[in-house]
């Protein structure tokens, strides 16, 4: 018997949720025809991101159903996200951190819906978040630092 060299997958391939986020935006978040321009600009902003960016997080608000509010490129090692230009309202925070998050969500491509994660931080499973309501205004965010 010959010995096969086993290469650990985690060291060679970075987990990316890029495709999952594209699907969530196209099939759930910005699906209405009136949202087509916004959908195209959000997907274009995503495509403009470096291939080194492997994780994205959609910011949603409950009013009462989930509504798209922006897209962020995530750095899971620092737990910080940077807003993708042209994807959010001017009032949205420029950076995303755990202190702003009320709820973590995972996109389920089978049911085309978001499921709540039992989590207190960003992970490779996090596809979307709902922010704490009072902290969506930029003035509230600047007071945190």
């Amino acid at each position: 018997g010959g010995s096969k060299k086993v290469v650990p997958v985690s060291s060679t391939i970075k987990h990316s949720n890029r495709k999952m986020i594209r699907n969530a935006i196209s099939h759930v978040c910005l699906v209405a025809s009136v949202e087509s321009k916004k959908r195209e600009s959000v997907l274009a902003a995503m495509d403009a991101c470096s291939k080194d960016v492997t994780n994205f997080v959609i910011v949603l608000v409950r009013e009462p159903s989930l509504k798209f509010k922006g897209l962020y490129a995530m750095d899971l090692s620092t737990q910080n996200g940077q807003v993708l230009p042209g994807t959010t309202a001017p009032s949205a925070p420029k950076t995303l951190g755990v202190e702003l998050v009320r709820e973590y969500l995972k996109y389920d491509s089978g049911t085309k819906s978001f499921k709540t994660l039992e989590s207190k931080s960003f992970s490779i499973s996090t596809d979307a978040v709902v922010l704490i309501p009072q902290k969506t205004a930029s003035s509230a965010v600047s007071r945190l630092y």
Side-chain angles (χ1 to χ4, degrees):
S3 64
K4 287 184 179 167
K5 193 174 179 182
V6 179
V7 179
V9 176
S10 60
S11 66
T12 53
I13 300 168
K14 269 188 164 177
H15 178 278
S16 174
N17 69 351
R18 193 180 280 256
K19 187 177 278 184
M20 195 70 88
I21 296 295
R22 287 187 73 88
N23 288 341
I25 289 166
S26 301
H27 300 301
V28 178
C29 300
L30 297 171
V31 79
S33 55
V34 294
E35 298 169 321
S36 62
K37 271 196 166 67
K38 179 73 173 171
R39 180 174 61 246
E40 294 308 313
S41 70
V42 168
L43 294 175
M46 229 180 131
D47 291 340
C49 265
S50 158
K51 293 289 181 248
D52 296 338
V53 178
T54 55
N55 286 84
F56 296 88
V57 168
I58 298 169
V59 169
L60 301 167
V61 289
R62 291 190 183 277
E63 47 181 43
S65 62
L66 291 171
K67 294 267 191 281
F68 179 88
K69 281 297 172 202
L71 184 63
Y72 292 74
M74 287 306 299
D75 180 341
L76 295 177
S77 63
T78 63
Q79 293 286 300
N80 280 316
Q82 293 294 325
V83 67
L84 295 191
T87 67
T88 61
S91 61
K94 300 282 178 267
T95 57
L96 193 59
V98 291
E99 72 282 354
L100 301 178
V101 178
R102 183 174 74 188
E103 194 179 346
Y104 294 87
L105 305 167
K106 179 169 185 52
Y107 178 66
D108 182 327
S109 55
T111 60
K112 292 187 171 38
S113 64
F114 288 96
K115 308 268 191 265
T116 303
L117 289 169
E118 294 302 320
S119 180
K120 297 278 180 262
S121 63
F122 294 99
S123 71
I124 57 171
S125 301
T126 311
D127 296 319
V129 293
V130 175
L131 300 185
I132 297 164
Q134 304 82 353
K135 294 183 180 172
T136 52
S138 53
S139 59
V141 174
S142 60
R143 283 202 306 272
L144 290 174
Y145 299 101

